[in-house]
Amino acid sequence: MKTIICTSLALALTGSVAFAQDALPQQNNAWFTAAQAELDAKAAVQPNTNKAKNVIILISDGNGVGTNYATRLFDGQQNGNFGDEHVLPHEKFPFLALAKTYNVNAQTPDSAGTGTAMHSGVKTKAGVIGVDETLNRGDCSQVDGATVANASEIYTGMGKSVGVVSTARLTHATPASAYAHSADRNFEDNSGLPDGCAVPDIASQLIEAVKAGRVDVALGGGRRHFLPKEVKGEEGKGGKRTDGKNLIEDAKAAGIQYVYDDGTFGAARFDGSAPVLGLFEASHMQYEADRSGEPSLAEMTEAAIKALQGNENGFFLTVEAGRVDHANHAGNLARVVRDGVAFAEAVARADELTDDADTLIIVTADHEHAIAFSGYAGRGSDILGLSMKIDPAGTKALNEPNMAQDGKPYTTVTYLNGGGSILTEDQDWTGTRPTVSQEEATDLDYVQQALIPLSSETHSGEDVAIYAKGPFAHLMGGTVEQNYIFHVMHHAATAE
């Protein structure tokens, strides 16, 4: 009774009025009506409990919530908007969760351990592939006893076709975790193996997986790990192998189609009649901003789906935007977001080419980076440029940069560590922050200012988002361990 009297008295004193829900004074406000429309759409979503014929996981390496935010703003601003109101293709998916990305021995994770979590269903140590946490990194003798079944083995066991696509080297940590078992992610070719190691290198394992029918399409970079030192690839760069093996010639002799540029990619048969191995660079594929003579991630995704979809039992496809990670490591946001947009286009292409009724699509990241957003930027501040002041009388940011206490402007995005550090050894690690202009900050090659001096910017350990649609996508919710992603995919593919 006391509560009712006090509430009534407060309303009387403040002049507050109780409104019916259909007569709120803000009911015609555009933000209000848009949110109500979104609520109605989400309320109409029904769980899909069909068995998943196809499973696609798209992993943007290093694309945590912060990096994804930067990409969203960049893409929106490229389309003439403020950017923050923009919605990327995967952000339209109806189900969302957060993944805890740590490795069992690393608070801040490495991509071999995170890739194994997503492709095998178990968390493991940093730097190891397709094995559990009982293995000591680098010890080949422990691989057999620590081996866990990976995605290529599990899904071919269901009679499905398997595809692996990446803009990184195909032997790199994330794509390799879909088909390989290795005591160290760096065992990409035989030259890195320790003496007496009886476990084949990762490149050899990929070729054997394709020959055995466990991988039907593999598209990415990393040609150097398939060629001997004395043999040069299509760009004139020599291989890395010291065992004299030419794995590309072995693959072609086994009837595997080999493609290495736009022309051979366009001429290949992506109809399921023969496996396809694409190696488009000696190392990683080009950044999207620099791409020439090789397919985009969306084009590779489309080709893989077309090659795999003829299997009446369906397919599993893993797609990685590997170079988002590398641009973050370089502190080069301009290339991060362009590869981020290319990833979003691959997501949209995968969605367009498949049916929600029988295809589960998961979009996620393996980890985040040490990216930071500085100051109170007004709406429309160029995500690559300077942080501009908020306009108290309008919506668009003023054409006046925010200033730090050193009297200099700063960019909207910085990094907590990396090569762009404002601390330098020749200044006894004290340093003076350089003055940066809008023109400099928005240049393609600009390296964002950073705090801690490191040769390469690092991963960070915070959660990453998981976006899902299709059969059993509703099982994605809350905060989960990263290896849970595998279990949702496996459950959807085996549901009765």
Side-chain angles (χ1 to χ4, degrees), residues 13-217:
L13 291 174
T14 60
S16 299
V17 180
F19 291 97
Q21 290 302 302
D22 60 353
L24 296 174
Q26 66 268 40
Q27 67 180 11
N28 294 321
N29 179 281
W31 293 103
F32 191 91
T33 57
Q36 189 59 50
E38 183 174 6
L39 173 66
D40 294 341
K42 290 185 183 302
V45 173
Q46 297 296 316
N48 177 348
T49 56
N50 296 335
K51 186 174 183 176
K53 178 180 179 181
N54 311 311
V55 175
I56 303 174
I57 181 168
L58 299 107
I59 304 164
S60 184
D61 196 320
N63 189 54
V65 172
T67 300
N68 187 78
Y69 169 71
T71 298
R72 179 198 303 153
L73 264 71
F74 175 77
D75 197 25
Q77 290 174 354
Q78 292 298 106
N79 288 300
N81 299 313
F82 287 131
D84 33 30
E85 75 288 343
H86 187 60
V87 181
L88 295 168
H90 47 282
E91 294 177 330
K92 299 175 185 177
F93 286 15
F95 299 102
L96 176 70
L98 292 175
K100 295 189 281 186
T101 63
Y102 64 93
N103 303 140
V104 299
N105 63 344
Q107 188 176 62
T108 299
D110 135 278
S111 296
T114 58
T116 297
M118 292 183 282
H119 288 131
S120 299
V122 298
K123 277 186 176 277
T124 191
K125 290 177 177 172
V128 302
I129 291 173
V131 293
D132 65 27
E133 70 272 23
T134 62
L135 181 140
N136 296 321
R137 182 175 180 178
D139 190 343
C140 289
S141 69
Q142 296 180 335
V143 170
D144 284 347
T147 289
V148 295
N150 58 42
S152 73
E153 295 160 340
I154 292 167
Y155 287 99
T156 53
M158 299 177 193
K160 297 183 185 297
S161 298
V162 171
V164 180
V165 172
S166 178
T167 52
R169 298 190 296 268
L170 285 173
T171 50
H172 213 236
T174 303
S177 66
Y179 64 82
H181 306 279
S182 181
D184 195 303
R185 59 176 291 173
N186 295 321
F187 297 166
E188 295 184 64
D189 60 68
N190 79 295
S191 66
L193 296 177
D195 291 342
C197 181
V199 180
D201 60 84
I202 295 170
S204 294
Q205 290 189 51
L206 176 56
I207 297 303
E208 289 307 310
V210 179
K211 287 180 180 179
R214 293 194 305 276
V215 174
D216 301 277
V217 179

Side-chain angles (χ1 to χ4, degrees), residues 286-305:
Q286 298 166 36
Y287 286 115
E288 180 63 21
D290 311 306
R291 183 169 59 84
S292 175
E294 58 193 41
S296 69
L297 187 60
E299 290 168 338
M300 291 192 294
T301 299
E302 178 174 350
I305 290 173

Side-chain angles (χ1 to χ4, degrees), residues 49-55 154-155 157-160 313 358 360 471-472 475 486-496:
T49 56
N50 296 335
K51 186 174 183 176
K53 178 180 179 181
N54 311 311
V55 175
I154 292 167
Y155 287 99
M158 299 177 193
K160 297 183 185 297
N313 295 316
D358 67 2
L360 171 65
F472 290 96
L475 297 180
F486 168 88
H487 292 271
V488 173
M489 296 189 297
H490 188 263
H491 178 78
T494 57
E496 297 298 335

Side-chain angles (χ1 to χ4, degrees), residues 58-63 67 111 165-170 172-175 185 219-221 284-288 297 300 318-330 335-336 339-340 342-343 346 364-367 369 459:
L58 299 107
I59 304 164
S60 184
D61 196 320
N63 189 54
T67 300
S111 296
V165 172
S166 178
T167 52
R169 298 190 296 268
L170 285 173
H172 213 236
T174 303
R185 59 176 291 173
L219 304 172
H284 304 301
M285 292 182 67
Q286 298 166 36
Y287 286 115
E288 180 63 21
L297 187 60
M300 291 192 294
T318 181
V319 176
E320 183 203 24
R323 306 235 63 193
V324 171
D325 176 74
H326 302 153
N328 264 325
H329 280 307
R335 284 185 171 84
V336 170
D339 269 71
F343 174 74
T364 189
D366 46 0
H367 55 73
H369 279 263
H459 300 172

